[in-house]
């Protein structure tokens, strides 16, 4: 080797921008958001304007730039601009409590906050207003930044932790996409993931690298699977990334009469164990050309393994494997002492190779705990229990720690427990997941300092206390007060006894009752409560968009159609019953049936009339 050649010149990391700039002269659609459509030259011109504004604001390679996580063409162009400046972008969900946003900014210390004025933006960081119109020199790929983004995830120490992702690692992932026979093709792709989730990076950069068109849904379409299905059909979406819960909701919506997204040929799911339910089988039976990709990877590595399900969905396993490692990834299954285990043995999955984040931003002790060195290589301890089969295919068998997934969100119960224990009335707190007809929800079990405290008032107080510093998905949906928490034989708190065993609970429908009573019973099951007033605001009692979708799908199965927007407009059982009473019940009508098409009908016949009914 010629000693004068620097090492990095030998193996130059793949560039994130180069594949995109290759389309700079292609006047083909790059991005659609409502009425806005940008072709590649127009998108790159907007990105160049933002890059110039960031340069003028003093942003240099290695900086962090905070961006409001608003799904818009401008935000996507600003993300490209950050990459071009070599800066890592930090998406801020402005619906988070101010305390959480402040903690994120405190760790990430961005050079600036790049966005329009908004009262929810935390003070203390220089804000740079994006220019409306401006001429700027063309976007160039000549500044390399070590980090691509900083994404925060639930932290077990009671504070969210910021994963600082290396540009080279995500460039290798996008490179893999480009060489993939299906995922490398130019495709009309939906940008569904919130920008605070790593999947959004994959959606954006893999679509542009392939020369496809990224389609941004409106918020109403994102949370209403029936409206989403209509968008998928109207926009002829070909590729879709969805968390498992989203995929299941979409498949149930198709089973309940939603439009079949005919153009779809690749569906990528990630984030938790994929379960192939009858509704999912029926959806793919109706889309025989479509492939379901199961991607696995924590935020600390992004996607590291992939498995494809194609052909007859009747033959797909209920719990598919997570597949084989991507070419730039190394995996190892180890025992508690981190010693490698033989193939076939179950242990913790270590992830290595060119997929690793730099670590947690400004949290060296946490970084050292999870990113370890063994045999001269750096590995991330995933905390996932896995096994490598004789064919080299990996199966994931859940967690070795208490980390949970609730509707696709990663949750460290310890983060919530730390917040609960900061409340003066709480002596002890444990947070577990409980499964019910409404899906999986977080339940806090607490011991009060004063045993005479009013449990109902304490529960409301603790929920408000959590909502003041935690993201909404981390706020327990129920609080149970105990005189003492149950203990295991070894004297530790018995989480399992509190959580109960994971179970799928079917929904019950009260035949022969009034519509209001049927609705009341449905909502009681979904909210997991014994009592509910017909005039109570469902959203004050824990209703969230996925529960609304479950309610609407169940209603459709029984011939009653309510839109998500109507459910929000009529937030009580009584109001929803009144809204339904003034409408005809069109679900099982001839037009709806015709719209489903022959393939869809055949799929449902095969997987049963209640194909969507199994959760
Ligand atoms: P997140 O950092 O939010 O992406 O969560 C990562 C964790 O989600 C992993 O460590 C796994 O526990 C779980 N996970 C992600 N994808 C899958 C998958 N395809 N199958 C099983 N578990 C998954």
């Amino acid at each position: 080797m010629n000693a004068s050649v620097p090492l990095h010149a030998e193996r130059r990391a793949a560039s994130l921008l180069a594949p995109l700039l290759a389309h700079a002269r292609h006047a083909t659609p790059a991005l659609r958001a409502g009425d806005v459509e940008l072709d590649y030259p127009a998108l790159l011109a907007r990105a160049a304007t933002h890059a110039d504004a960031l340069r003028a604001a003093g942003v240099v390679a290695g900086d962090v730039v905070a961006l409001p996580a608003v799904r818009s063409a401008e935000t996507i162009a600003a993300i490209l601009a950050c990459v071009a400046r070599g800066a890592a972008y930090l998406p801020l969900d402005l619906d988070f409590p101010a305390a959480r946003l402040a903690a994120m900014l405190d760790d990430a210390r961005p050079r600036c906050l790049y966005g329009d004025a908004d009262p929810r933006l935390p003070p203390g960081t220089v804000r740079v207003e994006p220019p409306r119109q401006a001429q700027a020199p063309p976007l160039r790929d000549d500044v390399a930044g070590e980090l691509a983004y900083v994404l925060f995830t639930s932290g077990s120490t009671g504070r969210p932790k910021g994963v600082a992702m290396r540009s080279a690692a995500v460039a290798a992932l996008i490179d893999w996409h480009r060489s993939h026979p299906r995922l490398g093709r130019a495709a009309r792709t939906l940008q569904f993931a919130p920008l605070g989730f790593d999947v959004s990076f994959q959606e954006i950069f893999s679509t542009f690298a392939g020369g496809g068109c990224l389609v941004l849904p409106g918020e109403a379409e994102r949370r209403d699977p029936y409206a989403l299905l209509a968008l998928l059909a109207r926009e002829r979406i070909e590729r879709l990334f969805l968390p498992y819960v989203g995929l299941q909701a979409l498949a149930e919506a198709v089973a309940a009469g939603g439009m079949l997204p005919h153009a779809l040929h690749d569906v990528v799911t990630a984030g938790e164990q994929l379960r192939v339910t009858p509704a999912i089988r029926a959806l793919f039976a109706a889309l025989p050309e479509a492939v379901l990709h199961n991607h696995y990877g924590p935020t600390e590595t992004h996607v590291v393994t992939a498995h494809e399900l194609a052909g007859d969905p009747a033959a797909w396993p209920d719990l598919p494997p997570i597949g084989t490692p991507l070419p730039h990834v190394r995996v190892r299954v180890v025992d508690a002492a981190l010693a490698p285990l033989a193939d076939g043995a179950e242990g913790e999955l270590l992830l290595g190779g060119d997929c690793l984040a730099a670590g947690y931003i400004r949290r060296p002790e946490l970084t050292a705990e999870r990113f370890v060195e063994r045999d001269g290589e750096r590995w991330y301890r995933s905390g996932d229990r896995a096994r490598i089969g004789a064919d080299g295919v990996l199966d994931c068998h859940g967690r070795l720690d208490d980390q949970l997934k609730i509707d696709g969100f990663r949750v460290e119960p310890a983060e919530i427990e730390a917040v609960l224990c900061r409340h003066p009335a709480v002596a002890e707190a444990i947070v577990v997941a409980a499964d019910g007809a409404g899906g999986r929800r977080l339940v806090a079990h607490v011991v009060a300092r004063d045993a005479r405290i009013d449990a109902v008032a304490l529960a409301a107080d603790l929920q408000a206390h959590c909502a003041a510093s935690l993201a909404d998905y981390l706020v327990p949906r129920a609080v149970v007060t105990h005189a003492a928490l149950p203990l295991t034989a070894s004297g530790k708190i018995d989480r399992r006894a509190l959580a109960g065993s994971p179970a799928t609970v079917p929904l019950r429908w009260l035949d022969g009752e009034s519509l209001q009573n049927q609705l009341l019973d449905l909502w009681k099951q979904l909210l997991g409560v014994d009592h509910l007033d017909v005039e109570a605001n469902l959203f004050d009692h824990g209703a969230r968009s996925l529960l609304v979708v479950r309610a609407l799908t169940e209603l459709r199965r029984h011939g009653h159609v309510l839109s998500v927007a109507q459910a929000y407009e009529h937030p009580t059982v009584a109001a929803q019953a009144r809204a339904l009473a003034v409408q005809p019940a069109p679900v099982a009508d001839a037009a709806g049936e015709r719209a489903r098409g022959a393939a869809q009908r055949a799929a449902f016949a095969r997987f049963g009339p209640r194909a969507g009914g199994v959760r």
Side-chain angles (χ1 to χ4, degrees), residues 153 163 197-199 269-274 293-302 305 320-322 351 380 382-385 396-399 403-405 408-411:
T153 181
V163 176
F197 279 52
D198 53 7
V199 174
T269 185
E272 60 188 298
Q273 173 65 54
L274 168 62
H293 306 254
N294 184 22
H295 283 183
Y296 159 88
T299 308
E300 287 82 347
T301 63
H302 212 326
T305 72
I322 56 171
L351 305 169
Y380 171 67
S382 70
D384 285 315
R385 193 195 299 269
C396 184
H397 295 152
R399 298 286 307 172
Q403 190 186 102
L404 300 169
K405 277 289 167 109
F409 291 101
R410 173 164 154 184
V411 173

Coordinates of all heavy atoms in Angstrom, one line a residue, residues 153 163 197-199 269-274 293-302 305 320-322 351 380 382-385 396-399 403-405 408-411, ligand 1:
T153 N -34.6 8.7 21.7 CA -35.5 7.6 22.0 C -35.5 7.5 23.5 O -34.8 8.1 24.3 CB -34.9 6.3 21.3 OG1 -35.7 5.2 21.6 CG2 -33.5 6.0 21.7
V163 N -29.5 9.4 19.9 CA -28.7 8.5 19.1 C -28.0 9.4 18.0 O -28.8 10.0 17.2 CB -29.5 7.4 18.5 CG1 -28.6 6.5 17.6 CG2 -30.1 6.5 19.5
F197 N -38.5 9.3 13.6 CA -38.2 7.9 13.6 C -37.2 7.7 12.4 O -37.4 8.3 11.4 CB -39.5 7.1 13.2 CG -40.3 6.9 14.4 CD1 -40.7 7.9 15.2 CD2 -40.8 5.6 14.7 CE1 -41.5 7.7 16.3 CE2 -41.6 5.3 15.8 CZ -42.0 6.4 16.6
D198 N -36.3 6.7 12.6 CA -35.2 6.5 11.6 C -35.8 6.1 10.3 O -35.2 6.3 9.2 CB -34.1 5.6 12.1 CG -34.6 4.3 12.7 OD1 -35.9 4.0 12.5 OD2 -33.8 3.5 13.2
V199 N -36.9 5.4 10.3 CA -37.5 4.9 9.1 C -37.8 6.0 8.1 O -37.7 5.9 6.9 CB -38.8 4.1 9.3 CG1 -39.5 3.7 8.0 CG2 -38.5 2.9 10.2
T269 N -42.0 -3.5 6.6 CA -42.5 -3.3 7.9 C -41.3 -3.5 8.9 O -40.4 -4.2 8.6 CB -43.7 -4.2 8.3 OG1 -44.1 -3.9 9.6 CG2 -43.3 -5.6 8.2
A270 N -41.3 -2.7 10.0 CA -40.2 -2.8 10.9 C -40.6 -2.3 12.2 O -41.7 -1.7 12.3 CB -39.0 -1.9 10.4
G271 N -39.8 -2.5 13.3 CA -40.1 -1.8 14.5 C -40.6 -2.8 15.6 O -40.3 -2.5 16.8
E272 N -41.2 -3.9 15.3 CA -41.5 -4.9 16.3 C -41.8 -6.2 15.6 O -41.8 -6.3 14.3 CB -42.7 -4.5 17.2 CG -44.0 -4.2 16.5 CD -45.0 -3.6 17.4 OE1 -45.3 -4.3 18.4 OE2 -45.4 -2.5 17.2
Q273 N -42.0 -7.3 16.4 CA -42.2 -8.6 15.8 C -43.4 -8.5 14.8 O -44.5 -8.1 15.2 CB -42.5 -9.6 16.9 CG -42.9 -11.0 16.4 CD -41.8 -11.7 15.7 OE1 -40.7 -11.9 16.2 NE2 -42.1 -12.2 14.4
L274 N -43.1 -9.0 13.6 CA -44.2 -9.0 12.6 C -45.0 -10.3 12.9 O -44.5 -11.4 13.1 CB -43.5 -9.1 11.2 CG -44.5 -9.5 10.0 CD1 -45.6 -8.4 9.8 CD2 -43.7 -9.7 8.7
H293 N -41.6 -7.0 3.2 CA -40.2 -7.0 3.7 C -40.3 -6.8 5.2 O -40.8 -5.8 5.6 CB -39.4 -5.9 3.0 CG -39.4 -5.9 1.5 ND1 -38.4 -6.3 0.8 CD2 -40.4 -5.5 0.6 CE1 -38.7 -6.2 -0.5 NE2 -39.9 -5.7 -0.6
N294 N -39.7 -7.7 5.9 CA -39.6 -7.6 7.4 C -38.2 -7.0 7.7 O -37.2 -7.8 7.5 CB -39.8 -8.9 8.1 CG -39.8 -8.8 9.6 OD1 -40.0 -7.7 10.1 ND2 -39.6 -9.9 10.3
H295 N -38.1 -5.8 8.1 CA -36.8 -5.2 8.4 C -36.6 -5.1 9.9 O -37.5 -4.8 10.6 CB -36.7 -3.8 7.8 CG -36.4 -3.7 6.4 ND1 -36.2 -2.6 5.7 CD2 -36.3 -4.7 5.5 CE1 -36.0 -2.9 4.4 NE2 -36.0 -4.2 4.3
Y296 N -35.4 -5.4 10.4 CA -35.1 -5.3 11.8 C -33.9 -4.4 12.0 O -33.0 -4.4 11.2 CB -34.8 -6.7 12.3 CG -34.0 -6.7 13.6 CD1 -34.6 -6.6 14.9 CD2 -32.6 -6.7 13.6 CE1 -33.9 -6.6 16.1 CE2 -31.9 -6.6 14.8 CZ -32.5 -6.5 16.0 OH -31.8 -6.5 17.2
G297 N -34.0 -3.6 13.1 CA -32.8 -2.8 13.5 C -33.2 -1.8 14.5 O -34.3 -1.2 14.4
P298 N -32.4 -1.6 15.6 CA -32.7 -0.5 16.5 C -32.3 0.8 16.0 O -31.5 0.9 15.0 CB -31.9 -0.9 17.8 CG -30.8 -1.8 17.2 CD -31.3 -2.4 16.0
T299 N -32.7 1.9 16.6 CA -32.3 3.2 16.2 C -30.8 3.4 16.2 O -30.2 4.1 15.4 CB -32.9 4.3 17.2 OG1 -34.3 4.0 17.3 CG2 -32.7 5.7 16.7
E300 N -30.1 2.6 17.0 CA -28.7 2.7 17.2 C -27.9 2.2 16.0 O -26.7 2.4 15.8 CB -28.2 2.0 18.4 CG -28.6 2.7 19.8 CD -30.0 2.5 20.2 OE1 -30.8 1.9 19.4 OE2 -30.3 2.8 21.4
T301 N -28.6 1.5 15.1 CA -28.0 0.9 13.9 C -28.8 1.2 12.6 O -28.3 0.9 11.5 CB -27.8 -0.6 14.0 OG1 -29.1 -1.2 14.1 CG2 -27.0 -1.0 15.2
H302 N -30.0 1.6 12.7 CA -31.0 1.6 11.6 C -31.1 0.1 11.2 O -30.8 -0.8 11.9 CB -30.5 2.5 10.5 CG -31.7 3.1 9.8 ND1 -32.9 2.5 9.6 CD2 -31.9 4.4 9.3 CE1 -33.7 3.3 8.9 NE2 -33.1 4.4 8.7
T305 N -31.0 -6.2 9.4 CA -31.4 -7.5 8.8 C -32.7 -7.3 8.0 O -33.5 -6.5 8.3 CB -31.5 -8.7 9.8 OG1 -32.8 -8.5 10.5 CG2 -30.4 -8.8 10.8
P320 N -42.7 -14.5 11.2 CA -41.6 -14.6 10.3 C -40.3 -14.2 11.0 O -40.2 -13.5 11.9 CB -41.9 -13.6 9.2 CG -43.3 -13.3 9.3 CD -43.6 -13.4 10.8
P321 N -39.2 -14.8 10.4 CA -37.8 -14.4 11.0 C -37.5 -13.0 10.6 O -38.2 -12.4 9.8 CB -36.9 -15.4 10.3 CG -37.6 -15.8 9.0 CD -39.1 -15.7 9.3
I322 N -36.4 -12.5 11.2 CA -35.9 -11.1 10.8 C -34.9 -11.2 9.7 O -34.5 -10.2 9.2 CB -35.4 -10.4 12.0 CG1 -34.3 -11.1 12.7 CG2 -36.5 -10.0 13.0 CD1 -33.5 -10.3 13.8
L351 N -24.6 -6.3 17.3 CA -24.6 -5.8 15.9 C -23.3 -5.1 15.7 O -22.9 -4.2 16.5 CB -25.8 -4.9 15.7 CG -27.2 -5.6 16.0 CD1 -28.3 -4.6 16.1 CD2 -27.5 -6.7 15.0
Y380 N -22.8 -3.2 19.0 CA -23.9 -2.6 19.8 C -24.6 -3.8 20.5 O -25.0 -4.7 19.8 CB -24.8 -1.8 18.9 CG -26.1 -1.4 19.6 CD1 -26.0 -0.5 20.7 CD2 -27.3 -1.9 19.3 CE1 -27.2 -0.1 21.4 CE2 -28.5 -1.6 20.0 CZ -28.4 -0.7 21.0 OH -29.5 -0.3 21.7
S382 N -27.8 -5.1 21.5 CA -29.2 -4.8 21.1 C -30.2 -5.0 22.2 O -31.2 -4.4 22.2 CB -29.6 -5.6 19.9 OG -29.8 -7.0 20.3
G383 N -29.8 -6.0 23.1 CA -30.8 -6.3 24.2 C -31.9 -7.3 23.6 O -32.8 -7.6 24.4
D384 N -31.8 -7.6 22.4 CA -32.7 -8.6 21.8 C -32.3 -10.0 21.9 O -31.1 -10.3 21.7 CB -33.0 -8.2 20.3 CG -33.8 -7.0 20.1 OD1 -34.8 -6.8 20.8 OD2 -33.4 -6.1 19.3
R385 N -33.2 -10.9 22.2 CA -32.9 -12.3 22.3 C -33.1 -12.9 20.9 O -34.2 -12.8 20.3 CB -34.0 -12.9 23.2 CG -33.7 -14.3 23.8 CD -35.0 -14.8 24.3 NE -35.5 -14.0 25.5 CZ -35.2 -14.2 26.7 NH1 -34.4 -15.2 27.0 NH2 -35.8 -13.5 27.7
C396 N -35.9 -13.4 16.0 CA -35.8 -12.6 17.2 C -36.9 -13.0 18.2 O -38.1 -13.2 17.8 CB -36.1 -11.1 16.8 SG -35.9 -9.9 18.1
H397 N -36.6 -13.3 19.4 CA -37.5 -13.8 20.4 C -37.8 -12.9 21.5 O -37.8 -13.3 22.7 CB -37.0 -15.2 20.9 CG -36.9 -16.2 19.8 ND1 -36.0 -17.3 19.9 CD2 -37.6 -16.4 18.7 CE1 -36.2 -18.0 18.8 NE2 -37.1 -17.5 18.1
G398 N -37.9 -11.6 21.3 CA -38.2 -10.7 22.3 C -37.0 -10.1 23.0 O -35.9 -10.2 22.5
R399 N -37.2 -9.4 24.1 CA -36.2 -8.7 24.8 C -35.6 -9.4 26.0 O -36.3 -10.2 26.6 CB -36.8 -7.4 25.3 CG -37.4 -6.4 24.3 CD -36.3 -5.7 23.5 NE -35.4 -5.0 24.3 CZ -34.2 -4.5 23.8 NH1 -34.0 -4.6 22.5 NH2 -33.4 -3.9 24.6
Q403 N -37.5 -3.3 28.1 CA -38.0 -2.4 27.0 C -39.2 -3.0 26.3 O -39.4 -4.2 26.1 CB -36.9 -2.3 25.9 CG -37.1 -1.2 24.9 CD -36.0 -1.3 23.8 OE1 -36.3 -1.7 22.7 NE2 -34.9 -0.8 24.1
L404 N -40.1 -2.1 26.0 CA -41.4 -2.4 25.4 C -41.6 -1.7 24.1 O -41.0 -0.7 23.8 CB -42.6 -2.0 26.3 CG -42.6 -2.5 27.7 CD1 -43.7 -1.7 28.5 CD2 -43.0 -4.0 27.7
K405 N -42.6 -2.3 23.3 CA -43.1 -1.5 22.1 C -44.6 -1.3 22.3 O -45.3 -2.3 22.6 CB -42.8 -2.3 20.8 CG -41.4 -2.1 20.3 CD -41.2 -0.8 19.7 CE -39.8 -0.4 19.4 NZ -39.4 -0.4 18.0
G408 N -45.8 0.5 18.2 CA -44.6 0.9 17.4 C -43.6 1.8 18.1 O -42.5 2.1 17.6
F409 N -44.0 2.4 19.3 CA -43.1 3.3 20.0 C -42.2 2.5 21.0 O -42.7 1.7 21.7 CB -43.9 4.3 20.8 CG -44.6 5.3 19.9 CD1 -46.0 5.2 19.7 CD2 -44.0 6.4 19.4 CE1 -46.7 6.1 18.9 CE2 -44.6 7.3 18.6 CZ -46.0 7.2 18.4
R410 N -40.9 2.9 21.0 CA -40.0 2.2 21.9 C -40.2 2.8 23.3 O -40.1 4.1 23.4 CB -38.6 2.4 21.4 CG -37.5 1.9 22.2 CD -36.3 1.8 21.4 NE -35.1 1.9 22.1 CZ -33.8 1.9 21.6 NH1 -33.7 1.8 20.3 NH2 -32.8 2.0 22.3
V411 N -40.4 2.0 24.3 CA -40.6 2.5 25.6 C -39.7 1.9 26.6 O -39.6 0.6 26.7 CB -42.1 2.3 26.0 CG1 -42.4 2.6 27.5 CG2 -43.1 3.0 25.1
Ligands
LIG1 P1 -36.4 1.2 17.6 O1 -35.1 1.7 18.2 O2 -37.6 2.1 18.0 O3 -36.3 1.0 16.1 O4 -36.7 -0.2 18.3 C1 -35.8 -1.2 18.1 C2 -36.3 -2.5 18.7 O5 -37.5 -2.9 18.2 C3 -35.4 -3.7 18.5 O6 -34.3 -3.7 19.4 C4 -36.3 -4.8 18.6 O7 -36.5 -5.1 20.0 C5 -37.6 -4.3 18.0 N1 -37.7 -4.6 16.6 C6 -37.5 -3.7 15.5 N2 -37.7 -4.3 14.4 C7 -38.1 -5.6 14.6 C8 -38.6 -6.7 13.8 N3 -38.6 -6.6 12.5 N4 -38.9 -7.9 14.5 C9 -38.8 -7.9 15.8 N5 -38.4 -6.9 16.6 C10 -38.1 -5.8 16.0

